[in-house]
Amino acid sequence: MKVRDILEKACHENILTKDEIKLLLMAEGEDKDLLFKTADRVRKEHVGDEVFLRGLIEFSSYCKNDCFYCGLRRSNNQAQRYRMQEDEIVEVAKRAYQMGYRTVVLQSGEDMYYNKDMLCSIIKKIKSSVDVAITLSIGERSYDEYKAFKDAGADRFLMRFETSNRQLYEKYHPGMSFENRIECLKWIKSLGYELGTGFLIGLPGQTIDDLVQDILLVKELDADMIGIGPFIPHPQTPLKDAKEGSVDLTLKSIAILRLLIPDANIPATTALGTLDPLGRQKGLMCGANIVMPNVNDLKYKLKYELYPGKICINEDATKCRGCIESIIVSLGRKVGQGKGQSRHYKRAA
Ligand code: 5AD
Ligand code: FES
């Protein structure tokens, strides 16, 4: 089958076979250009030219887990740890609102210091102070906690499954189970959150066939938001000598998922911008429609080191906002107004 025919099928049926996805992941030259162009067109048709910005608040760099790739892993005793207190988190959310953000993403390591009541209180305080959507990105919790956060006012939840290959998952996430992660994602969806999930590109040992399965798993979970980023080796982790993930495969995965879930929200991730100075622009031109700038103080930004070389680490939040806005305009797009709920979610509701 030719790439042109596969793309045609994807546009009409929003589904592809493993072999077809694999062919698209391996596309080069004109075929690759056609994949990107098609994804860009589908993006425009289904979610328009608006690029929505999300204010990212990384509120704790403590983590109970020991993921092989992540700089926040608990065994990294050189990592700088901080916890923001309740009122400080609420203040940053308010500041984000004043800067124009209508979604804040509360992200942290898996830090049980923040128990159910504390997180509910933070969510309620933000919701009663400013009119923003709240996205949580805090990892695995119990059903009861997810329900309580939703009832408190959280709207969306981001949690990547990282890799659909069970062996790789268990190798790189000691003490964690793939089943449990998938179960959490299903709970989150069933509770009525907008669900965001996705995976890492280029974990050592990951094959093209694994990436095909990763793409199909995002489709199967029926994600409203899709986060895909290249793996970047962190010097204080067991994967320090591994090769970084491919920007090209990341862009192709974004493009393919735009075709399979045309109305999803898809960010051009910070990791993409870190490996390629034009990475976010390229992402926005092959299917992405979201950017998630950090709105925290510099003193915290520097300490939340998932991977080295993160962009914008020395820029204050106002500068980043301006910079991102000019990138969006330079691509002939516009900054989204309002909360930018996933259009995929509306349809499912
Ligand atoms: N390189 C790229 N992405 C990483 N993440 C964690 N560590 C790294 C790394 N070294 C990603 C994970 C996680 C998200 C918050 O950050 O995919 O889900
Ligand atoms: Fe932060 Fe460009 S987006 S400096």
Side-chain angles (χ1 to χ4, degrees):
M1 217 176 180
K2 287 214 186 79
V3 161
R4 185 175 294 277
D5 301 326
I6 298 175
L7 292 172
E8 181 111 337
K9 175 182 166 192
C11 291
H12 286 110
E13 300 171 25
N14 308 135
I15 189 70
L16 291 172
T17 65
K18 288 181 195 170
D19 289 342
E20 290 163 345
I21 294 174
K22 191 167 175 177
L23 258 165
L24 294 183
L25 283 173
M26 296 189 313
E28 288 302 336
E30 279 177 22
D31 285 344
K32 183 169 87 173
D33 292 346
L34 191 61
L35 165 64
F36 290 168
K37 267 198 200 130
T38 309
D40 194 46
R41 195 192 72 223
V42 169
R43 184 270 309 153
K44 193 178 170 79
E45 280 167 15
H46 289 263
V47 299
D49 279 338
E50 285 187 301
V51 176
F52 286 91
L53 301 180
R54 317 307 196 187
L56 179 62
I57 307 174
E58 298 159 333
F59 65 90
S60 164
S61 67
Y62 283 84
C63 192
K64 71 176 170 68
N65 293 335
D66 218 14
C67 306
F68 270 38
Y69 47 82
C70 182
L72 300 187
R73 69 199 305 268
R74 67 161 187 268
S75 307
N76 180 8
N77 48 31
Q78 293 178 65
Q80 303 189 59
R81 310 288 178 177
Y82 67 88
R83 286 188 174 114
M84 287 165 64
Q85 294 311 307
E86 191 167 324
D87 289 342
E88 195 177 7
I89 300 171
V90 177
E91 280 315 305
V92 178
K94 286 193 207 161
R95 202 172 66 201
Y97 180 84
Q98 278 147 18
M99 286 167 60
Y101 292 98
R102 293 296 175 264
T103 297
V104 292
V105 181
L106 302 181
Q107 187 177 90
S108 66
E110 287 202 10
D111 183 1
M112 298 305 135
Y113 168 87
Y114 300 86
N115 61 26
K116 182 170 87 178
D117 290 345
M118 261 177 96
L119 284 166
C120 285
S121 162
I122 294 166
I123 293 164
K124 284 184 195 153
K125 278 191 189 163
I126 295 176
K127 280 286 188 174
S128 62
S129 333
V130 280
D131 186 22
V132 291
I134 297 184
T135 304
L136 298 178
S137 176
I138 58 172
E140 295 179 24
R141 296 270 176 157
S142 65
Y143 181 86
D144 176 53
E145 287 172 289
Y146 288 137
K147 181 163 187 335
F149 304 150
K150 186 77 181 58
D151 292 342
D155 303 277
R156 310 176 184 156
F157 204 104
L158 298 177
M159 186 165 68
R160 296 181 179 172
F161 54 77
E162 315 292 0
T163 171
S164 62
N165 176 324
R166 188 180 312 258
Q167 275 89 41
L168 273 192
Y169 185 90
E170 278 158 21
K171 179 171 169 192
Y172 292 142
H173 302 88
M176 295 175 74
S177 113
F178 181 71
E179 269 75 37
N180 192 60
R181 199 156 188 92
I182 299 299
E183 186 165 46
C184 287
L185 291 170
K186 291 185 176 161
W187 287 340
I188 291 164
K189 179 110 191 157
S190 74
L191 283 164
Y193 285 94
E194 268 178 72
L195 173 69
T197 193
F199 51 92
L200 280 166
I201 305 265
L203 284 171
Q206 188 185 49
T207 63
I208 287 279
D209 292 297
D210 290 330
L211 287 183
V212 172
Q213 293 293 356
D214 291 342
I215 290 172
L216 286 170
L217 182 54
V218 172
K219 172 77 180 170
E220 190 186 317
L221 291 166
D222 196 28
D224 303 297
M225 311 179 280
I226 304 165
I228 303 169
F231 156 70
I232 304 173
H234 187 294
Q236 289 142 21
T237 65
L239 299 183
K240 61 175 187 291
D241 297 321
K243 224 175 104 219
E244 64 193 27
S246 148
V247 168
D248 199 54
L249 280 175
T250 306
L251 296 172
K252 287 172 180 166
S253 302
I254 290 176
I256 296 167
L257 274 159
R258 171 58 69 201
L259 304 180
L260 297 184
I261 313 185
D263 50 2
N265 277 339
I266 309 182
T269 55
T270 307
L272 194 53
T274 298
L275 285 191
D276 179 338
L278 291 176
R280 287 176 303 176
Q281 285 88 329
K282 290 178 185 171
L284 289 171
M285 284 162 66
C286 71
N289 68 322
I290 302 281
V291 183
M292 297 169 56
N294 193 310
V295 291
N296 247 349
D297 274 355
L298 288 185
K299 63 175 186 227
Y300 294 131
K301 268 193 186 187
L302 289 163
K303 295 182 179 166
Y304 199 86
E305 199 187 51
L306 303 172
Y307 49 81
K310 237 187 188 180
I311 44 171
C312 304
I313 209 87
N314 292 309
E315 317 300 332
D316 77 39
T318 326
K319 178 149 181 243
C320 272
R321 169 103 196 176
C323 173
I324 290 281
E325 285 183 358
S326 54
I327 288 177
I328 292 169
V329 172
S330 76
L331 297 174
R333 306 272 281 277
K334 47 185 182 252
V335 177
Q337 302 294 317
K339 293 178 187 162
Q341 187 185 53
S342 171
R343 295 199 192 182
H344 192 67
Y345 177 79
K346 265 191 209 151
R347 186 166 325 144

